[in-house]
């Protein structure tokens, strides 16, 4: 049995971190991404990880939240400090992929992140009622899938992908459990 990789992200350059991620077994990649230090080299390292196929939505949301998007959410792009522009671009990309259904359902969101996601969605709803909005607006229909899964008992949650739905498209695969529930 292979031992999980442990990584100290406070040491090394962006190339070394990227090599570590690329060499990591698939089974460790999500855990490494969720533990990555955003003060190190997030754009090249997490940018590569978050562009990989088979990354799950729960992982994407955790990585997104670990990037502390609230720091820049209501700040115009031109006002983002130059030293944080790469982080903001990475958050842009993760948000776009979340909203497009790029990330797959499957893993459960850590309990600590559920409250943050719910708070984020509540703030979006308040913004909408006031006629405003932040930079990153998460698609509620997609994120709701993860929240429903987080509220279900672990043994009742089916983490397998619906392969027939996946053949119809990633977004359909993501929303298929919600569509079945409403039927």
């Amino acid at each position: 049995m292979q031992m999980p990789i442990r990584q100290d992200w406070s040491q090394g350059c962006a190339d070394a971190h990227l090599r570590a991620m690329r060499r990591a077994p698939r089974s460790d990649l999500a855990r490494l991404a969720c533990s990555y230090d955003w003060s190190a080299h997030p754009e090249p390292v997490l940018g590569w990880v978050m562009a990989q196929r088979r990354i799950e939505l729960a992982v994407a949301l955790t990585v997104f939240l670990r990037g502390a998007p609230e720091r820049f959410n209501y700040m115009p792009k031109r006002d983002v400090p130059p030293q944080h522009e790469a982080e903001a671009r990475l958050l842009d990309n993760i948000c776009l992929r979340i909203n497009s259904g790029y990330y797959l359902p499957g893993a459960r969101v850590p309990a600590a992140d559920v409250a943050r996601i719910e708070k984020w969605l509540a703030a979006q709803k308040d913004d909408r009622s006031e006629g405003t909005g932040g930079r990153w607006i998460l698609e509620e229909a997609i994120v709701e899938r993860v929240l429903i899964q987080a509220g279900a008992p672990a043994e009742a949650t089916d983490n397998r992908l619906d392969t027939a739905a996946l053949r119809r498209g990633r977004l359909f695969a993501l929303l298929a459990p919600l569509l079945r529930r409403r039927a």
Side-chain angles (χ1 to χ4, degrees), residues 52-94:
Q52 300 307 299
R53 297 182 64 79
R54 311 298 277 176
I55 294 292
E56 294 173 329
L57 178 58
V59 172
L61 287 166
T62 296
V63 171
F64 179 77
L65 292 173
R66 283 189 44 90
E70 54 278 348
R71 297 177 293 167
F72 311 116
N73 194 36
Y74 297 104
M75 185 182 293
K77 286 184 181 185
R78 67 182 175 280
D79 294 341
V80 173
Q83 67 270 25
H84 296 292
E85 287 174 351
E87 293 170 51
R89 274 193 309 272
L90 177 58
L91 290 166
D92 287 340
N93 289 332
I94 294 170

Side-chain angles (χ1 to χ4, degrees), residues 127-144:
D127 288 347
R128 225 181 359 264
S129 69
E130 295 172 5
T132 63
R135 180 172 179 169
W136 299 293
I137 299 172
L138 297 175
E139 184 60 47
E140 290 155 0
I142 292 174
V143 176
E144 184 179 276

Side-chain angles (χ1 to χ4, degrees), residues 5 10 13 23 41-42 47 53 65 86 134 142 148 173:
I5 293 176
S10 65
C13 64
R23 284 191 305 234
H41 313 284
R53 297 182 64 79
L65 292 173
I142 292 174
I148 289 169

Side-chain angles (χ1 to χ4, degrees), residues 53-57 100-106 145 159-177 179-180:
R53 297 182 64 79
R54 311 298 277 176
I55 294 292
E56 294 173 329
L57 178 58
S100 71
Y102 181 81
Y103 299 115
L104 300 173
R145 165 76 169 108
N159 287 336
R160 293 173 293 147
L161 288 175
D162 182 340
T163 54
L166 190 55
R167 281 193 297 274
R168 294 174 73 182
R170 294 172 76 87
L171 182 59
F172 191 82
L174 181 65
L175 296 176
L179 296 172
R180 278 193 299 260

